[in-house]
């Protein structure tokens, strides 16, 4: 079961190293031809405008949407979560998106880099031990549709992780911590 | 909740990997850069080529301009402070931008001390020409490095020299035993703990981009193949004939740096590149890479 990692830009190597430690085979996905060789896909952190631009430039948007609609499990972290949202707030109106999950991603919801933070919080679907969450210029998830289940909230109630069938979105970066539980969760989806 | 931790500082640089950071001098240029796929912009009053041409003391940019650029884009905004000028850095932190470049492109404010970057909540990127210089900056708190190259020249030769220096030193470190590591750390004037960490992991403790002289998509891909995590393009974009197209092409070449067909395709009919300068024609006292220690 090869896990594709979208490697257009961002922290794809951190995801790759985490999966290597777990023992899951990985493949970097940069072009549509790579997509045919993977059974799952992680869309990493990075800049959503840049990744979106490169997705559009090299014809990845439609093939990727088709695979996900056919049931391929996909997980977006931070920028990846933004790209998976059907709607965005506080972004660029013209930025290319995959528009997969029935929710709104509010970009830079906490402000500039000075507001980036770490926190320990529980996640539904993991064991009860809180997960170290690293938020970097992170979005939050709003307007969740009926089919979307929130998995984690920060103290003020805003949603920072959600799942819709074969699709998972997290606003934080499990790949920047030593904790592999979120990656294992995704592999079992 | 822990804010401005080392993980979040280094983490933002990790999110920029595989990307292009572009120098911009107006909000309009910032929007063009974002639209072209830049991962961040460097807000400046003058690009390095103009600083070089006009001479005089180069300082931090007007906060008004930096804020106007911050307002114009959704991607991270960086700005430069003079080497050692910790008050310029305090001002930039107060503006709420995302990263500070303590940069040799500006005229140094202190010829002995760099900024103590641990004291700041905002992360810093610093230039280096070799491993020792890079690790000294990390010891002072830099959360990201960039090889210096020679800014404002459109000539990639110094960027290549510095990137090769850093990565060949890392490869050599990995063959050394502990006795040799102590001596090596002393010789390159870097903290032993950081030297040992690099030897063990085979990589720098923070993300490292290339800068200084990158003007074409092929230049960007060359540095990526040499091992850097991403590129800064300063004068190379907005001093060229068709900035938007060149910017898009450099972004594509940085992602697909191992695909010569794609680099060939995006390089076609790009229009005029910026005029380059031969390094040997620059008077020694006007070279920027030698600033900082």
């Amino acid at each position: 079961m090869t896990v594709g990692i979208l490697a257009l830009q961002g922290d794809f190597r951190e995801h790759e190293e985490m999966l290597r430690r777990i023992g899951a085979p990985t493949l970097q996905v940069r072009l549509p031809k790579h997509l045919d060789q993977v059974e799952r896909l992680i869309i990493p952190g990075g800049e959503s405008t840049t990744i979106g631009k490169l997705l559009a430039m090299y014809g990845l948007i439609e093939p990727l949407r088709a695979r996900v609609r056919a049931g391929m499990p996909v997980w977006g972290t931070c920028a990846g979560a933004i790209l998976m949202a059907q709607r965005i707030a506080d972004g660029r109106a013209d930025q290319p998106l995959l528009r997969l999950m029935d929710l709104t991603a509010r970009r830079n919801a906490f402000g500039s880099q000075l507001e980036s933070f770490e926190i320990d919080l529980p996640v539904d679907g993991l064991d009860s031990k809180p997960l170290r969450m690293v938020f970097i210029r992170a979005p939050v998830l709003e307007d969740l549709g009926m089919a979307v289940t929130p998995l984690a909230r920060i103290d003020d109630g805003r949603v920072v992780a959600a799942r819709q069938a074969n699709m998972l979105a997290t606003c934080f970066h499990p790949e920047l911590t030593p904790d592999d539980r979120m990656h294992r969760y995704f592999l079992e989806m | 909740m822990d804010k401005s931790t080392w993980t979040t500082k280094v983490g933002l640089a990790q999110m920029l990997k595989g990307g292009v950071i572009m120098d911009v001098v107006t909000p309009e240029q910032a929007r063009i850069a974002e639209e072209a796929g830049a991962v961040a912009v460097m807000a400046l009053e003058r690009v390095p080529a103009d600083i070089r041409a006009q001479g005089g003391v180069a300082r931090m940019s007007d906060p008004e301009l930096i804020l106007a650029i911050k307002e114009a884009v959704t991607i991270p905004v960086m700005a430069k402070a003079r080497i050692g000028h910790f008050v310029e850095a305090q001002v930039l932190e107060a503006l709420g931008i995302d990263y500070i470049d303590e940069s040799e492109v500006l005229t140094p404010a202190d010829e002995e001390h760099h900024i103590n970057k641990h004291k700041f909540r905002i992360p810093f990127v610093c230039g280096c020409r070799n491993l020792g210089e890079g690790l000294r900056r990390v010891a002072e708190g830099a959360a990201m490095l960039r090889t210096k190259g020679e800014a404002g020249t459109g000539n990639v030769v110094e960027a290549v020299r510095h990137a090769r220096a850093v990565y060949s030193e890392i490869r050599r470190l990995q063959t050394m035993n502990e006795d040799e590591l102590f001596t090596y750390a002393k010789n390159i004037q870097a903290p032993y703990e950081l030297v040992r960490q690099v030897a063990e992991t085979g990589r720098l403790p923070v993300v490292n981009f290339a800068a200084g002289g990158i003007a074409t998509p092929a230049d960007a891909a060359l540095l990526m193949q040499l091992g850097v995590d991403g590129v800064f393009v300063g004068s190379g974009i907005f001093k060229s004939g068709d900035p938007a197209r060149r910017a898009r092409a450099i972004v594509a070449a940085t992602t697909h740096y191992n695909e010569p067909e794609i680099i060939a395709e995006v390089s076609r009919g790009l229009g005029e590149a910026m005029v380059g300068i031969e390094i040997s024609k620059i008077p020694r006292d006007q070279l920027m890479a030698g600033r900082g220690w």
Side-chain angles (χ1 to χ4, degrees):
Chain A
M1 184 192 66
T2 302
V3 183
I5 304 171
L6 191 69
L8 296 170
Q9 190 273 317
D11 72 335
F12 51 87
R13 286 204 187 85
E14 284 73 6
H15 277 291
E16 208 171 59
E17 280 160 19
M18 179 73 90
L19 290 170
R20 207 167 282 162
R21 283 200 293 277
I22 294 176
T26 62
L27 181 77
Q28 294 188 3
V29 174
R30 288 192 167 84
L31 296 167
K33 63 182 179 192
H34 303 140
L35 210 48
D36 305 335
Q37 302 163 45
V38 304
E39 281 85 50
R40 290 168 184 268
L41 186 74
I42 292 178
I43 307 175
E47 276 307 314
S48 63
T49 49
T50 305
I51 299 174
K53 183 95 200 164
L54 289 159
L55 279 170
M57 214 188 267
Y58 291 95
L60 273 156
I61 290 184
E62 281 316 315
L64 211 158
R65 284 171 57 92
R67 282 295 305 277
V68 176
R69 277 205 218 95
M72 177 177 72
V74 59
W75 173 23
T77 57
C78 196
I82 294 168
L83 287 157
M84 285 168 66
Q86 280 185 5
R87 305 167 293 276
I88 53 167
D90 297 338
R92 280 185 66 120
D94 57 349
Q95 76 178 87
L97 296 171
L98 294 166
R99 298 190 193 281
L100 291 165
M101 290 179 78
D102 186 9
L103 50 79
T104 301
R106 181 171 297 281
R107 289 189 59 197
N108 298 335
F110 301 94
S112 76
Q113 170 63 15
L114 290 170
E115 309 303 322
S116 292
F117 63 98
E118 297 179 59
I119 194 167
D120 295 310
L121 288 172
V123 178
D124 279 356
L126 303 186
D127 53 30
S128 59
K129 191 179 149 230
L131 186 79
R132 187 65 167 174
M133 299 180 182
V134 181
F135 291 86
I136 297 172
R137 286 172 47 90
V140 294
L141 309 177
E142 301 175 348
D143 261 338
L144 273 58
M146 294 294 284
V148 185
T149 311
L151 297 181
R153 296 175 188 271
I154 47 171
D155 302 345
D156 60 12
R158 287 188 285 178
V159 176
V160 293
R163 177 168 175 183
Q164 178 181 348
N166 57 330
M167 298 177 283
L168 175 66
T170 62
C171 300
F172 48 89
H173 296 279
E175 75 278 12
L176 296 186
T177 72
D179 193 330
D180 61 15
R181 284 179 294 158
M182 208 73 220
H183 285 78
R184 289 184 186 278
Y185 176 91
F186 173 63
L187 292 179
E188 280 159 23
M189 269 174 53
Chain B
M1 180 190 294
D2 308 314
K3 279 193 185 178
S4 296
T5 60
W6 182 246
T7 300
T8 64
K9 287 175 168 179
V10 174
L12 178 53
Q14 286 171 296
M15 298 312 140
L16 302 175
K17 285 195 298 184
V20 184
I21 299 169
M22 303 183 192
D23 279 5
V24 297
V25 300
T26 64
E28 177 55 21
Q29 287 187 357
R31 275 189 289 267
I32 293 171
E34 182 178 46
E35 163 64 27
V39 288
V41 291
M42 179 74 70
L44 283 168
E45 269 169 1
R46 296 181 288 172
V47 293
D50 289 334
I51 291 174
R52 188 175 286 289
Q54 291 162 13
V57 172
R59 311 180 180 91
M60 175 188 78
S61 298
D62 184 341
E64 179 100 342
L65 173 76
I66 295 169
L67 288 174
I69 288 171
K70 180 174 177 243
E71 199 54 40
V73 293
T74 62
I75 54 178
V77 175
M78 302 184 165
K80 291 184 193 289
R82 283 179 266 179
I83 289 173
H85 205 315
F86 52 85
V87 175
E88 283 188 350
Q90 291 165 4
V91 170
L92 293 173
E93 182 176 80
L95 294 178
I97 59 164
D98 300 293
Y99 239 92
I100 295 176
D101 182 6
E102 185 184 20
S103 177
E104 71 284 0
V105 169
L106 304 183
T107 311
D110 188 325
E111 295 192 331
E112 279 181 56
H113 310 92
H114 280 253
I115 296 169
N116 177 354
K117 294 164 276 286
H118 291 295
K119 287 186 172 175
F120 288 79
R121 291 180 296 130
I122 191 168
F124 284 76
V125 53
C126 286
C128 67
R129 288 161 296 174
N130 50 52
L131 185 61
E133 193 174 14
L135 294 182
R136 286 196 292 281
R137 297 294 85 79
V138 173
E140 295 158 1
M144 177 179 180
L145 293 171
R146 55 174 176 75
T147 47
K148 286 178 172 173
E150 188 60 33
T153 60
N155 187 341
V156 81
V157 66
E158 294 300 305
V160 168
R161 188 191 317 282
H162 300 156
R164 280 204 182 269
V166 168
Y167 296 109
S168 73
E169 283 174 286
I170 292 173
R171 282 187 289 272
R172 271 169 50 207
L173 264 188
Q174 289 176 278
T175 65
M176 292 182 193
N177 67 23
E178 201 182 19
D179 306 5
E180 293 166 330
L181 285 183
F182 285 117
T183 306
Y184 194 77
K186 186 191 75 180
N187 289 343
I188 66 168
Q189 298 173 52
Y192 169 72
E193 280 308 316
L194 289 175
V195 170
R196 201 189 60 183
Q197 186 187 334
V198 173
E200 277 170 8
T201 59
R203 63 170 66 170
L204 289 165
V206 298
V207 165
N208 181 42
F209 274 42
I214 295 161
T216 69
D219 285 351
L222 171 64
L223 270 309
M224 290 298 290
Q225 287 198 24
L226 286 175
V228 303
D229 296 311
V231 298
F232 283 85
V233 185
S235 322
I237 288 172
F238 289 98
K239 285 287 167 188
S240 73
D242 187 345
R245 237 186 110 198
R246 183 167 295 266
R248 278 198 301 276
I250 293 177
V251 168
T254 303
T255 289
H256 299 290
Y257 62 93
N258 269 329
E259 308 264 357
E261 293 79 13
I262 290 180
I263 302 168
E265 181 59 35
V266 299
S267 301
R268 286 173 64 178
L270 269 191
E272 247 178 278
M274 74 177 280
V275 180
I277 310 173
E278 252 202 77
I279 305 297
S280 60
K281 298 287 191 303
I282 304 172
R284 283 194 73 80
D285 63 335
Q286 288 174 26
L287 291 171
M288 293 169 173
R291 297 164 168 179
W293 22 89

